[in-house]
Amino acid sequence: MKKYSRLQVAVLIPCFNEELAIAGVVTEFRRALPEASIFVYDNGSTDKTREVAKTAGAIVRSETRRGKGNVVRRMFADIDADVYVMVDGDGTYDAASAPAMVTRLLDDYLDMVVATRLDEVAGIFRRGHKTGNQGFAALIAALFGRQLTDVFSGYRAMTRRFVKSFPGYSTGFEIETELSIHALNIRIPMVEMPAPFGLRVEGSESKLKTTRDGIRILRITFYFLKEVRPLLFFSCLALGFAAAALTLAYPLFVTYLRTGLVPRFPTAILATGLMLLAFISAACALILDSVAALRWEAKRNAYLSEPLPPH
C-alpha cells in the first residue's frame, strides 16, 4: 500500500444498532488502512452506535430510510474517493485483509475485489445460509455468467468508476446481489479473495432474516433478469405459454381429426389465448432486447467516463 499512499481511500461502514462492535471495527480499519477516511453511516440506530463510532474516530453520517440498500446508495453518492472499501459494521470481517484487497485491486487494474468468507469457526454460518449462498451463486452464474462463490459478501474493495456507475435499485440486504449482477452485466474486471470470517460480537444479533431476505433476493434476481436479459426472460415465458397451449390443444386436435368436432370449446379458447400470449411474449423479447442493449451501452459508458485510480 505504500506506493499508493497518495490515493484517497474511503472505508464505508453501513450499520444499525452495532454499539457493541462498531468501536472495534473502526479501530481495526484505522490500523489496517491508516491513510483511509473511515465513514460510518448509521441507519436509525436506537442504541449508542453513533456516539461510539464518533469516539473511535469515524466520520459519522446518517441515512433515515431504513434498509442496507438505501444506506449503500447514499454512501456511494456522498463520498468521493479513488478507492472504496465497503464492510459491514458487525465485526465479522477481517480488517487485516483490507490492504491486500486494495493492493490487488490497484496492481491488477481491477474494479472490484470481493472477500469470500472462510468458515474458520465450526458452525459460524446459520443453518441453510451456506447452502443458500451456494445455490444463489449457481443461479446467478447460470443467468448472468461467470461463477462467483460468495455473491452475498458484504466486504468489497471497489474503484471510483465502478461505484459511481452503480445505479443502486435495491433497498435491503439484496444490495450485495445487485452489486454482483451489475458487475457481471457491465463486465468489469474483478476477482475474489478469501478472507477470514468470524463470529459476531457476543450480545449482538444479525439483522438478516433467512426466509424474508431469501425471498427478496430471489425476487431481485429475477427482476434484474427481466431488465438485463429480457430476451431470455420473455423467451422462457413464450415457451411456457406455447407448451401449455399445445398440451391443451393436442387432444382437441386428435378428436377433431377423428370426428370433425371440437367437443370442449372453452378449452380451445384457452389454448388459443395461451398461444397468443406466447406470441406477445416473443415480440416483447425481441423489442426489449434492443432496449436492453441501449441501456447496457449507457451503463458501460457511465462506467468508462470515470478514470482509473492513479497508479
Side-chain angles (χ1 to χ4, degrees), residues 293-308:
L294 294 174
R295 294 181 63 190
W296 182 87
E297 290 178 7
K299 288 188 285 187
R300 181 75 182 176
N301 288 335
Y303 157 73
L304 293 174
S305 67
E306 294 287 346
L308 272 172

Side-chain angles (χ1 to χ4, degrees), residues 43 52 61 69 77 123 126 144 161 227 230 262 280 285 294:
N43 194 210
V52 172
R61 296 179 181 175
R126 281 192 284 172
F144 301 99
R161 67 177 183 175
E227 295 295 307
V262 181
I280 292 171
L294 294 174

Side-chain angles (χ1 to χ4, degrees), residues 5-40:
S5 58
R6 294 186 179 182
L7 287 178
Q8 292 181 305
V9 180
V11 177
L12 310 181
I13 308 174
C15 61
F16 168 72
N17 282 357
E18 298 293 358
E19 176 187 352
L20 298 176
I22 194 62
V25 174
V26 172
T27 301
E28 290 299 317
F29 274 92
R30 283 173 60 86
R31 183 181 297 116
L33 296 171
E35 73 282 4
S37 300
I38 313 290
F39 294 90
V40 169

